[in-house]
């Protein structure tokens, strides 16, 4: 049976969307433990089924007390289940002091608070959801960090592990348009840009 730290480790490797879904499913139970609707996870739901298919997540739910019922189509948390392990997993995966990342776009500076386990993908999602930063789609974002500035790429390391406290945000599409106006775009770069559905 997986330990709380094993499950939390698996959660930190999820996509931002799946990590948020995991957190929401657990917090629903922790905040309303007597509500039966939060104690049933229908695996036929595309998002929940996709989450449970992720490595170690389905087994993690079972280790937290969820039981497969209805021929494995549903995970159900019995009323007598101990919620201590679930709380511990949520605390390990999402707890701790939030980190603040300063996002610089032109002359503007915006501070974003993220969980300490956040990775570059989480930062891109936060930027996409932030109105001050123009809700820029992830596919258009180019993040630069360090000095001299280097592009940041999505990966398994957290922002804390990378030593990131601030990033410069550029809009790939805007940069391409500016370069086209100044005749600094090769046909190869234009072709590559046109293959990107986010642009």
């Amino acid at each position: 049976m997986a330990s709380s730290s094993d499950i939390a480790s698996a959660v930190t490797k999820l996509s931002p969307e799946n990590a948020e879904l995991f957190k929401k499913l657990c917090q629903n139970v922790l905040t309303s433990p007597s509500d039966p609707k939060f104690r049933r996870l229908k695996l036929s739901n595309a998002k929940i089924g996709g989450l449970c298919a992720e490595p170690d997540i389905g087994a993690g739910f079972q280790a937290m007390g969820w039981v497969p019922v209805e021929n494995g189509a549903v995970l159900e948390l019995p009323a007598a289940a101990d919620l201590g392990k679930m709380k511990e997993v949520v605390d390990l995966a999402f707890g701790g002091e939030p980190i603040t990342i300063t996002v610089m776009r032109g002359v503007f500076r915006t501070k974003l608070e993220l969980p300490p386990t956040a990775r570059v993908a989480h930062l891109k999602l936060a930027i996409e959801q932030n109105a001050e930063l123009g809700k820029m789609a992830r596919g258009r974002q180019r993040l630069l960090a360090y000095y001299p500035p280097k592009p940041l790429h999505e990966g398994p390391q957290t922002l804390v592990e990378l030593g990131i406290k601030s990033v410069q945000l550029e809009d790939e599409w805007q940069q391409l348009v500016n370069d086209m106006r100044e005749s600094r775009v090769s046909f190869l770069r234009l072709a590559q840009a046109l293959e990107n559905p986010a642009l």
Side-chain angles (χ1 to χ4, degrees), residues 3-172:
S3 70
S4 298
S5 60
D6 291 338
I7 301 167
S9 177
V11 170
T12 62
K13 295 174 185 158
L14 293 172
S15 69
E17 294 85 358
N18 276 343
E20 279 302 311
L21 177 59
F22 182 92
K23 182 180 179 183
K24 180 181 177 188
L25 293 173
C26 291
Q27 284 185 329
N28 284 345
V29 172
L30 294 171
T31 55
S32 302
S34 60
D35 193 334
K37 75 179 177 185
F38 294 136
R39 292 178 163 268
R40 289 178 56 84
L41 303 179
K42 294 181 183 175
L43 301 180
S44 60
N45 176 300
K47 289 183 179 181
I48 293 173
L51 171 64
C52 290
E54 290 281 345
D56 302 322
I57 299 300
F61 274 112
Q62 291 183 40
M64 291 187 297
W66 297 80
V67 179
V69 295
E70 298 178 22
N71 294 322
V74 173
L75 285 178
E76 188 171 271
L77 187 64
D82 178 19
L83 302 179
K85 189 168 191 173
M86 187 180 306
K87 182 176 181 346
E88 188 177 353
V89 168
V90 171
D91 287 346
L92 286 171
F94 303 100
E97 289 294 315
I99 60 170
T100 302
I101 304 293
T102 302
V103 180
M104 300 173 284
R105 183 171 185 207
V107 296
F108 299 105
R109 307 280 185 269
T110 302
K111 292 187 182 292
L112 299 177
E113 281 200 354
L114 298 167
T117 56
R119 299 184 316 266
V120 173
H122 297 95
L123 176 58
K124 286 187 168 193
L125 178 64
I127 290 169
E128 185 176 54
Q129 296 172 343
N130 187 284
E132 287 180 40
L133 295 169
K135 295 189 174 184
M136 187 186 303
R138 279 175 272 183
R140 289 178 55 172
Q141 296 174 22
R142 182 170 186 235
L143 298 177
L144 303 169
Y146 309 114
Y147 186 81
K150 297 175 189 167
L152 271 181
H153 301 287
E154 293 185 25
Q157 290 182 297
T158 67
L159 296 170
V160 172
E161 291 168 343
L162 293 170
I164 304 296
K165 294 186 180 189
S166 64
V167 294
Q168 182 178 340
L169 172 64
E170 294 180 351
D171 185 337
E172 293 270 8

